[in-house]
Structure formats: structure tokens, C-alpha cells
Amino acid sequence: MRKVLSFVLALLCLQAQAQTFSATSPNGNIRLGVTVSAAGELAYTVTYKNRPVMLPSTLALTFKEPAVELRQFNVQRVDSTTSDTTWQPVWGEYSQIRDHHKQLLVSLKDKSGSDIAINVVFRVFNEGVGFRYEFPQQAKLNHFVLADERSQFHLAGDHKAIWIPGDYDTNEYFYYTTKLSQVDAGSGKGAQEIHAKTFFHPNAVQTPLMLKSDDGLYINLHEAALINYPAMNLVVDKTSFTLNSHLVPDAVGNKAYLQTPAKSPWRTIIVSDDAREIIAGNRMILNLNEPSKVADPSFIAPQKYVGIWWEMHVGKSSWDYSGSQVGSNLQIAKVPHGATTENTKRYIDFAAKHGFKGVLVEGWNTGWEDWFGKWEEDVFDFVTPYPDYDVNELSRYAASKGIKIIMHHETSGSVTNYERWMDTAYRFMKKHGMNAVKTGYVGRIIPRGEHHDGQWMIKHFERVAQKTANYGINVNMHESVRLTGLHRTYPNWIASEAARGNEFNAWSSGNPPDHETILPFTRLMGGPMDYTPGIFQIKMNAYDPNKKEQVHTTLAKQLALYVTLYSPLQMAADLPEVYEKHMDAFQFIKDVAVDWDDTKVLSAEPGDYLTIARKAKGSPNWFIGAITDEMARTTVGALSFLPKGQRYVATIYRDAADAHWEKNPMAYTIEKFLVDSNTKLSLKLAAGGGAAISLVPADATNSKGLKRYK
Ligand code: NOJ
Ligand code: CA
């Protein structure tokens, strides 16, 4: 039930005096203060249990046309409302989400005579604070150009920061952990494996940014509902610990072209003294997004999939027909074309045998000879297969096995070309029985001068989400902007990459063992990631004795990632022939759910460790994932969330005693025990390791001979 109390705060004080307004979170822990100085400067503060989170932080906007500054505005009125509602996501980590917040709407008017009106809206949740700028429809403001937004986040100290370099084009960096005063975005310049990167400031970082104060406050900064506006980076002032928003510009340096009514995205501050609550706090970002615009979500398909994909990344086969492209560095080395009719049938058979719904096929269409690094406009047409890929036969074969082929649209950054082809390409998919597409934006963007994270591309990503929804298609975007909770509005936008995925482990320095303990506190705050876990053949020298690369993990940790890295779309990324050798461990990937009724974060410290338990949607089964960084450790998990009195069979997939991500990554053990809500698990995780557990209600057949867990 929606309960909204609205009242207008008396605003009788004279404009010459500073004015102060405040709001507290429903549970009283978070307090927001908003002040407007006598000179007209707007600032806010945030405290958590009376500890400072944001010192006075100013909010500023500059319009280019018409030339207007937020500083020249006066407060007209402040409306305070409360809202308490509950909604059901189409898919997700919870079956129900409560949105309980207090709102302050500050209405401002230009005092220099233009009469332009702007609102700044604040919402205070138990999880944190969100604020945004609103530009109502009005006679005096119709079209306008935003030159800049300067929203400040003035932190109370030199906090520990987990960050990636600020960049207009890529988010595929591994994370750096330093004090704010030690941020050096230039350290990411050596990331040669990332093709299109655009640094702009040595002190710039991206969001979601994870911070921890010396006295144990966890603070997460990000944005929600990024629509029709550029993405926000943050530039760190290393002496005052003030972070200033920096919007991604277009080719001529403008930030956004808007028409009233318009809104900025929400700027989000999630805060807690318990790291587990930061992860659970990602619901605040969803609550700041609009409800679903997909009227009939019946085509939306959370799923696990396999595909012709890792074999190219490890250099076993090629995307292009002539067989010249291997891995990301594209050396000339003749290997077979991966996307052949025969090979695709092999994957379809494997998927059907093991209960997967989808088979991704990359390299099926012409163009791959020219796709990389050329900044060329017309490379792919998205409808012309290579001669050894029989689309009609494969559509028939896949349908006969109950499998759907997942389409691949690599745009090579030529978005103008993709825009021209989109309708034709989606009709082609529907004609051939496909309802899911993986898109990709490797390389510099065309139109030239635009960036992956600028307003033009943000609008493109939304257009793709809308158009695919109209065609009844699920979309998974790679090299897209980082997510901001828009999957609430477009639940067919089922995942994105938008961070450094598992693929980097195949052909670069890879992802350090702490990477996956960080992602849930950073990239995943905005939404699900197509990380592509499940690599069992961990060392790449199995494919080529000269290769030194490896996944920085144990095998058991790869299983745990299906639980700790939430996504409704999860790949079993390794090759069928690798899985065939480890069917006992593969069973966990077959069993684990991708859509959940409930989620409990049992233990968490960003960059160190994480244990999450989730209840499968519409099923009594639970799954647990526990992971660690490069340190071996024992993690304890109380199963008190299980229904009282119900015994469960726990199948524990864990690191063997001598497992180690570097020295012995593939050593694992599988055990079964009886457990209940009184059980406390104690799991030994190897260096770079993890554990995965499935919990199924015990009955006479599945529990025979099993011992109680001790
Ligand atoms: C980068 C994507 O992240 C990867 O998954 C894909 O295989 C290649 N681009 C080729 O499109
Ligand atoms: Ca990528």
C-alpha cells in the first residue's frame, strides 16, 4: 500500500538568510541536511549513526544555452513526503523489494530574472541517500545544453578506496586499492589489453566507487537510472577528500542536450558500518529506477547457457572464416573456424543433455576479418552467415532439441552501422527462433568523437533495450556503460559485461584473486554481470605449452561465483570436453539457480572475502557461495535461514586440502552431509579459493547413509 504524506515546510524566512532543511531515514540511522547559503549556494550533508559521511558538499549546474548557473537560484518551497511501497521484480535476488524512503523536494527559481525553475530532489532510505536534478516543463525553459554538473561528495577523511581509473570509454580495468590521497588513474595506462581507453584526469575514478573509513564506515558512491545523460566519473581532490562529478563530454565538449521535462540520473550514497549491508543496499538503486516498461514479460528468460566462445579466447578456434584471429591479440595463426554447423550442433547436444537453455555462437557472420582496430563504419551486417554456418539447419536442429541459439552482434564500435541494421537483425533473429542477443562494442565509437559513456551512447543503449523489448528479445550488452539499475525498467536487458570479465584471464595479466570479492561492491551494485564463470581448465598451457596465462582461481571458486556474482544470465563458459572430465563438479553448475526468492549475505569484506546464500525462486532449495582473495581463510556460515525443523542434504564442493590458485588450482573435494537451521558451517578456503554448496530438503532416498555435519 502506498502511503504518501505531503506537507509544505514553511518558508517564511527571508532569502538573505541561510536556510536549512533535513530528513532522516525511516530507521533514523541516516540524517540528511540541506542548506542554501545566503549567497544561494546549495549544499548537503549526510551522517550515519551521528558519524559524518558527507561534509558540506555543494551542488552546481552550469547551462550553456541558456546561460544559467544553479548558484543564482532561490529556494521557493520544500516539500517533504514519505513513501512505503513494495514491488515484485520480474527476476532478481529477491522476490519482493520494499521501497521505504523520505523525500525532500527543493524547488528553486532563478533570482536573476529569467524565472527558470529547477528542482533538487533528495530521498533518504535506510540504505543511503539519493539525489537528482529535475528540470520541469516551463515556458522559460524548453531546449537547453548542459555545460556541466558539479555535484560534490565531500568525504570526512582519507578513506581507503577501491577504484578503477576514470575513463570515457572502458570499465575493463582491474581494481586498485589505495587511500584516496594515493589515487593515480595513470596506473591504468599500462592496460594494453584494453583497446579503446580515454583517460582524462590523473585523479579520476569511476563509479561504483567503494570506500571504507578508518573507523569502519563503508560508503558506496554510484548513480541510478542513467537515461539520456552522460555517465558520471569522480575527480578526487587529494587534500580535502572532496570528489567532484565529471560527466563524459561529447565531441565538442558539451555534456548533455536536454528538453524539459528532463531529469538527471540519481547520485547515490549507500552507507553502513556492516559491509554485508552495502551489498543488500543495491536495492536502493533499483528503488530509484522506474517500474518495468515491458508490458508482457513472458519472453524474458533467466537462464544458464554454453557457447562457442571460450574456445576462441584460448586460441583453439577463430572468429573469422579464414582462421586468422586468436584471442584478443589477434596474431596471425591458422586455427579452425569455431562457428561451423557441426561444432554448433556439438554444443547444442551438450546443452540439451545437461539442461541448459541457450547456446551462444560468436563468429557466425561475415566481417570478422576486418573487425578489430580499424575504426571502420561498415564491417558487419548481422544477417550474413559464413559459408560453413547453416542458419536454417541450425534453427531447425536447435528447436528439435529444445535449445535456443543466442545471437551475437559485435558492432566493433560502429554504432551508426548497428543502428541502421537493428530492425533487420532482430527480424532475422525472430525468423530463426532466437530470443536473446549478446551485443558488443569493442573499439572506438562511430560516430567518431562520441564515447562509450557519453549521452549519445547512453541513448543508444536505452534504444537497444526498448527495441529488443518490442521484438520480444533478451539483451546482454558487452562493452556497454556500467549498469545503474535500469534492469528494473527494462527487465529484458538481462545482463551486461561493463567490467573486467573472466575472459581477461585467457589472454592478459588477468584478474587478480581479489577481483571477484570486489565486483559485488562495485560493478554489481548497478546490476547483473555476464562474468562468464565456470572455467575448470584453469591453466592455459593446456592449450599451448608456451602460454603462461591462467585464471586466478581454484576450481571450487569458479563454482561459488554462480552464487556470489549475481546474474539471471550465467554462462558455463568452459569447453564441453573440459566439463566431460569433471562431471561431478559440473553437477553444481547444472543444479544452481539463476533467479531467486531471497538472498542473505553471510559474511563480507570488499577485496577479502564474501559468503552469500540464496533461495531458488519457487523452490525450497538454497545455494551458498563462499570466496576468498589470495589469502587462505576459514569462513563460518550459520544456516539459521533454513526453515526450522527441516533437514537438508548439503552437497559441499570445496578446495582440497592442498589446493592453491597458482600451485594446485584444480584440486577439489565433494562431500554430502545432513544439515538444518542449527548447523554452523566452517569452510576452509584455499588461497584464491572458494566453496559452493547446494541445499536440498532431505527425504528417504537422498539422505540414506548421510552423516550430520559437525
Ligand atoms: C569482447 C567481449 O567481451 C567478448 O565476450 C567477445 O567474445 C569479444 N568481444 C568478441 O566480440
Ligand atoms: Ca569485453
Side-chain angles (χ1 to χ4, degrees):
M1 230 230 339
R2 191 176 169 82
K3 188 181 66 158
V4 181
L5 285 174
S6 184
F7 58 93
V8 180
L9 294 182
L11 253 183
L12 299 172
C13 21
L14 291 171
Q15 303 294 356
Q17 283 172 311
Q19 298 164 309
T20 303
F21 315 96
S22 66
T24 44
S25 59
N27 65 6
N29 285 346
I30 296 174
R31 189 176 170 83
L32 165 80
V34 179
T35 49
V36 185
S37 73
E41 197 167 59
L42 188 66
Y44 72 97
T45 55
V46 177
T47 59
Y48 176 83
K49 296 183 184 168
N50 296 320
R51 291 152 71 182
V53 179
M54 291 296 159
L55 301 177
S57 306
T58 55
L59 300 181
L61 294 172
T62 308
F63 291 10
K64 192 170 178 188
E65 296 163 23
V68 172
E69 292 261 3
L70 192 61
R71 236 181 296 141
Q72 65 204 36
F73 280 55
N74 270 336
V75 179
Q76 295 299 298
R77 52 185 268 163
V78 176
D79 292 289
S80 172
T81 53
T82 302
S83 173
D84 189 0
T85 56
T86 299
W87 57 281
Q88 287 82 35
V90 174
W91 45 258
E93 297 172 272
Y94 308 89
S95 57
Q96 305 236 40
I97 294 180
R98 183 176 180 190
D99 176 357
H100 191 191
H101 66 258
K102 294 196 183 157
Q103 174 171 296
L104 280 187
L105 189 153
V106 183
S107 310
L108 301 149
K109 197 166 242 179
D110 186 357
K111 63 185 176 203
S112 70
S114 80
D115 267 1
I116 290 173
I118 294 177
N119 301 329
V120 183
V121 184
F122 295 88
R123 287 191 185 163
V124 191
F125 301 78
N126 290 340
E127 295 86 359
V129 174
F131 65 86
R132 77 169 169 201
Y133 308 91
E134 292 183 353
F135 312 99
Q137 194 163 14
Q138 52 196 291
K140 296 289 168 62
L141 188 66
N142 184 10
H143 292 272
F144 63 104
V145 179
L146 188 68
D148 217 350
E149 173 197 327
R150 279 295 155 96
S151 300
Q152 283 191 344
F153 303 86
H154 187 174
L155 298 156
D158 191 8
H159 300 337
K160 178 166 112 177
I162 305 182
W163 56 273
I164 56 174
D167 196 303
Y168 296 159
D169 278 292
T170 184
N171 33 46
E172 299 192 353
Y173 295 101
F174 52 74
Y175 291 90
Y176 298 85
T177 303
T178 69
K179 288 285 194 182
L180 277 169
S181 57
Q182 303 300 318
V183 162
D184 171 21
S187 26
K189 280 192 181 148
Q192 300 307 342
E193 69 277 6
I194 305 175
H195 175 52
K197 12 181 215 300
T198 309
F199 287 102
F200 58 92
H201 196 294
N203 294 357
V205 297
Q206 298 189 35
T207 72
L209 175 68
M210 191 64 222
L211 300 157
K212 187 182 182 185
S213 71
D214 287 344
D215 62 347
L217 264 195
Y218 298 87
I219 304 167
N220 184 277
L221 304 180
H222 190 35
E223 57 183 314
L226 173 56
I227 291 178
N228 192 23
Y229 205 86
M232 176 180 75
N233 287 269
L234 297 170
V235 177
V236 182
D237 179 326
K238 293 180 181 176
T239 46
S240 68
F241 314 120
T242 304
L243 314 187
N244 287 293
S245 65
H246 177 105
L247 304 180
V248 176
D250 73 353
V252 295
N254 289 329
K255 302 301 170 72
Y257 301 80
L258 300 168
Q259 182 182 10
T260 59
K263 291 165 180 155
S264 77
W266 294 91
R267 280 65 188 88
T268 61
I269 303 160
I270 295 175
V271 56
S272 177
D273 52 12
D274 184 337
R276 297 175 300 175
E277 288 183 0
I278 299 291
I279 293 180
N282 64 17
R283 282 174 282 191
M284 185 184 108
I285 289 176
L286 284 172
N287 282 332
L288 290 170
N289 276 271
E290 296 299 318
S292 175
K293 291 190 177 169
V294 180
D296 175 9
S298 56
F299 70 91
I300 297 174
Q303 61 178 284
K304 286 172 284 185
Y305 71 103
V306 295
I308 302 184
W309 180 74
W310 188 246
E311 58 178 78
M312 278 88 90
H313 286 271
V314 301
K316 188 188 159 213
S317 66
S318 172
W319 277 278
D320 72 324
Y321 185 58
S322 53
S324 66
Q325 305 203 5
V326 186
S328 83
N329 36 7
L330 313 178
Q331 308 115 338
I332 303 298
K334 286 277 176 191
V335 289
H337 180 215
T340 64
T341 306
E342 192 194 349
N343 199 25
T344 308
K345 284 189 176 176
R346 184 169 74 95
Y347 276 84
I348 291 172
D349 291 344
F350 182 80
K353 182 170 170 197
H354 297 293
F356 292 83
K357 280 195 199 162
V359 173
L360 168 71
V361 185
E362 292 198 3
W364 68 277
N365 58 329
T366 58
W368 289 89
E369 283 76 7
D370 298 326
W371 81 290
F372 191 80
K374 311 247 179 352
W375 215 11
E376 190 180 311
E377 185 149 355
D378 297 306
V379 174
F380 293 109
D381 69 11
F382 313 98
V383 292
T384 307
Y386 280 125
D388 55 351
Y389 187 82
D390 186 339
V391 183
N392 292 322
E393 167 58 10
L394 285 167
S395 312
R396 184 202 66 74
Y397 192 76
S400 78
K401 300 267 177 162
I403 295 294
K404 288 208 176 286
I405 292 178
I406 300 177
M407 172 50 85
H408 185 226
H409 291 164
E410 173 58 65
T411 67
S412 65
S414 177
V415 189
T416 40
N417 181 48
Y418 190 45
E419 290 267 358
R420 289 192 286 271
W421 278 102
M422 266 154 59
D423 282 290
T424 308
Y426 300 148
R427 280 195 291 265
F428 177 89
M429 284 177 59
K430 296 304 278 194
K431 180 175 157 216
H432 291 100
M434 295 175 228
N435 75 348
V437 61
K438 169 179 170 179
T439 59
Y441 299 86
V442 170
R444 286 180 290 172
I445 296 297
I446 301 177
R448 297 186 183 89
E450 291 295 342
H451 296 290
H452 284 74
D453 294 352
Q455 184 193 21
W456 195 90
M457 281 302 288
I458 300 306
K459 291 181 75 147
H460 168 75
F461 296 131
E462 191 191 8
R463 211 150 43 235
V464 171
Q466 281 166 344
K467 205 177 260 295
T468 48
N470 293 343
Y471 279 96
I473 289 173
N474 301 267
V475 61
N476 164 26
M477 304 187 197
H478 278 229
E479 295 82 44
S480 75
V481 71
R482 46 204 174 271
L483 298 192
T484 58
L486 275 175
H487 52 291
R488 175 176 180 187
T489 313
Y490 300 109
N492 65 305
W493 186 348
I494 199 157
S496 274
E497 183 190 40
R500 196 176 177 93
N502 224 358
E503 66 193 31
F504 278 81
N505 285 309
W507 37 254
S508 79
S509 62
N511 309 342
D514 67 359
H515 190 63
E516 298 94 346
T517 68
I518 293 171
L519 285 171
F521 291 96
T522 52
R523 164 63 182 77
L524 271 74
M525 291 298 289
M529 178 171 177
D530 183 31
Y531 186 72
T532 65
I535 301 304
F536 283 8
Q537 179 50 57
I538 286 161
K539 299 218 174 191
M540 298 305 122
N541 61 11
Y543 301 101
D544 173 350
N546 297 320
K547 282 202 171 190
K548 305 246 176 328
E549 291 87 358
Q550 76 159 101
V551 189
H552 301 83
T553 183
T554 64
L555 190 149
K557 184 178 185 177
Q558 290 293 303
L559 300 179
L561 298 180
Y562 287 88
V563 185
T564 59
L565 291 178
Y566 171 65
S567 179
L569 182 73
Q570 292 277 28
M571 187 173 204
D574 216 328
L575 312 180
E577 58 268 36
V578 171
Y579 288 136
E580 305 277 10
K581 287 188 217 148
H582 303 278
M583 273 299 152
D584 54 353
F586 189 57
Q587 189 63 42
F588 182 81
I589 302 180
K590 290 171 68 169
D591 292 342
V592 69
V594 286
D595 194 12
W596 310 96
D597 275 334
D598 202 4
T599 289
K600 309 270 182 205
V601 185
L602 304 184
S603 72
E605 181 62 29
D608 292 346
Y609 58 85
L610 183 64
T611 307
I612 299 186
R614 303 190 196 266
K615 181 183 171 295
K617 188 161 271 177
S619 147
N621 299 349
W622 285 77
F623 295 86
I624 300 176
I627 60 169
T628 178
D629 60 359
E630 70 286 352
M631 306 277 290
R633 63 183 94 231
T634 301
T635 176
V636 187
L639 304 186
S640 51
F641 51 82
L642 292 177
K644 301 268 166 294
Q646 169 71 57
R647 290 189 318 160
Y648 275 73
V649 175
T651 308
I652 304 179
Y653 304 75
R654 62 171 177 82
D655 297 322
D658 57 349
H660 182 282
W661 69 273
E662 200 173 13
K663 291 180 210 131
N664 192 16
M666 289 165 69
Y668 61 92
T669 304
I670 303 172
E671 297 163 313
K672 281 183 193 280
F673 295 102
L674 285 171
V675 299
D676 60 27
S677 60
N678 298 318
T679 306
K680 282 197 179 48
L681 294 177
S682 164
L683 301 165
K684 278 203 177 127
L685 314 179
I693 304 170
S694 67
L695 296 161
V696 180
D699 60 35
T701 47
N702 67 9
S703 60
K704 227 179 263 163
L706 291 187
K707 293 210 178 79
R708 280 190 59 85
Y709 182 89
K710 284 202 294 269

